[in-house]
Amino acid sequence: MGGVDVGAGGVKAPDGGWGWAVLAGCFLITGFSYAFPKAISVFFKELIIEFGVGYSDTAWISSILLAILYGTGPLCSVLVNRFGCRPVMMVGGLFASLGMILASFSTSIIHIYLSTGVITGLGLALNFQPSLIMLNQYFSEKRPLANGLSAAGSPVALCCLSPLGQFFQYQYGWRGGFLILGGILLNCCVCGALMRPLVAPKILKSSLKELEQDNEEGTEKKKPKAKLLDFSVFKDCGFLIYTVAASIMVLGLFVPPVFVVSYAKELGNEDTKSALLLSILGFIDIFARPTCGVIAGLKWVRPRCVYLLSFALIFNGITDLVGSQAKDYGSLVVFCIFFGISYGMVGALQFEVLMAIVGTEKFSSAIGLVLLMEAIAVLVGPPSAGRLLDATHNYMWIFLLAGSEVVLSAVVLATCNFLFIRKDSSESADTLENITVTQVCSKPPDMNDEEEKGAREEQEKETKKEVIKALKEEVEADKEKVEEARPESVTVDSQEVERFLKEPQQNGDMASSPETCL
């Protein structure tokens, strides 16, 4: 897994430049998307008193929010492929803010389900997925690091939002807290404004016109329109394995952060002290995600990221199993430290692995379909744990259940990849290598110098014709997209074209020289 990808319209990922601004926006969006379902848990105790409901009823707030965030993945993919990332994200920011503002006027728990869960969840979904798509377009070689830094937005936001929520609750009540959080979510619109689409350099467009004039034998061929939702990713065995494992993972992954504050309160700790646990978890998570991103970017680790993700899941699951035996505040602190490390590793790797499996071209559709498959598990996970807590009145069982589910997902991911993916990948690599060596180094024994030179010239002409033909196809596709008011980019690196046209003889000599082959 891994390698160099190209961005939207085939433009090579710059791995920097404006990409750092995109990364900053993605950092904030990831923080809002993942921290909100956990941060609003500090209001659960007051909501239970206000509306006379149980733990499982309040857990549905976070669960619905996450389910909408995940379940609207295909819708987000269609909207992004149709309108682009920037407008979708700015509309999403308005929805996210509107949901929290409406929730502050709720008179029943159902109203909060609809406002915070559905409307705010939809708004965050319209921001979260497009931000990841843009990040994948702007980064290739540095993508593991970019994913790690982006994922760090979740713990940073959690460290800020959890104590802020507690403060707002004391000062203004839960209604005032929801209203202020709604105003904070308007920053999603600012992040959306940063998502500038990639464009091809002007010099490349002029080079394309010159090449088009020189081409005498090329034929114009129209490119099919891009699909709004590409279901062909389900033909990829690696994608199927990842989807199944991720669906099992989310059953238990989000349960401990949702219930750890209530667990501490149940042990007799004051509210502020209990809320501090989420800040501890988030503080550790801040450093775990970028560090894991750096490790995942190492040459010998990046092709095996799927196994690093499996290790992170096992680490997380075992932490849940051991943490279920916590009996005092000190034990919960230790649990939050180790959970923060493992949770950060999972957060930094999960989308990096998906990007490596499907590539840039299909990522916008793949992430939408994966999130849809995970939505059911997200919707079932926390409420089931809350129902189990209502029945047993013991937090040990929900932590044991969550840990078991996460460990199972790791076993499925690692085992299936080892059995069904590794062998096929190695065979394909060997076949490609043999074909390349044969094409480059083979030379008929009875070919003299003049015949060799003529053959080389013919090969260069054929290669040039193919390049020009491909460029014409991209120009035609670009014209069609402009007519549809959807400006896209041309799919060629200008430096590569110039190098090929200026040094054809040198390239030909290198390809046919016996010394090079030896």
Side-chain angles (χ1 to χ4, degrees), residues 221-224 471-484 486 488-489 491:
K221 181 180 177 182
K222 291 188 176 182
K223 209 173 181 181
L471 293 174
K472 288 179 67 63
E473 292 176 2
E474 297 301 334
V475 170
E476 184 63 27
D478 190 54
K479 291 178 181 178
E480 291 179 11
K481 293 174 181 176
V482 169
E483 292 174 358
E484 296 173 359
R486 293 176 56 202
E488 294 288 339
S489 304
T491 63

Side-chain angles (χ1 to χ4, degrees), residues 58-112:
T58 54
W60 273 101
I61 299 173
S62 296
S63 187
I64 293 174
L65 201 159
L66 285 171
I68 296 296
L69 178 65
Y70 281 68
T72 54
L75 173 63
C76 295
S77 296
V78 170
L79 292 175
V80 167
N81 290 334
R82 179 66 182 87
F83 300 106
C85 292
R86 179 184 282 175
V88 171
M89 290 181 66
M90 297 185 74
V91 171
L94 295 176
F95 272 91
S97 176
L98 177 64
M100 292 301 294
I101 293 173
L102 291 177
S104 65
F105 299 99
S106 298
T107 57
S108 71
I109 195 71
I110 301 297
H111 294 162
I112 296 183

Side-chain angles (χ1 to χ4, degrees), residues 13-62:
D15 278 309
W18 189 257
W20 298 117
V22 172
L23 175 58
C26 193
F27 176 89
L28 289 176
I29 294 298
T30 303
F32 287 139
S33 300
Y34 278 121
F36 247 78
K38 307 179 192 71
I40 60 175
S41 65
V42 300
F43 298 97
F44 283 0
K45 187 175 180 180
E46 285 64 34
L47 293 176
I48 290 173
I49 298 173
E50 175 83 13
F51 300 115
V53 294
Y55 286 106
S56 61
D57 296 308
T58 54
W60 273 101
I61 299 173
S62 296

Side-chain angles (χ1 to χ4, degrees), residues 303-312 413-415 417-419 422:
R304 303 171 181 84
C305 270
V306 64
Y307 298 108
L308 183 59
L309 176 58
S310 300
F311 168 77
L413 183 63
T415 304
N417 269 276
F418 182 79
L419 294 177
R422 185 177 65 89

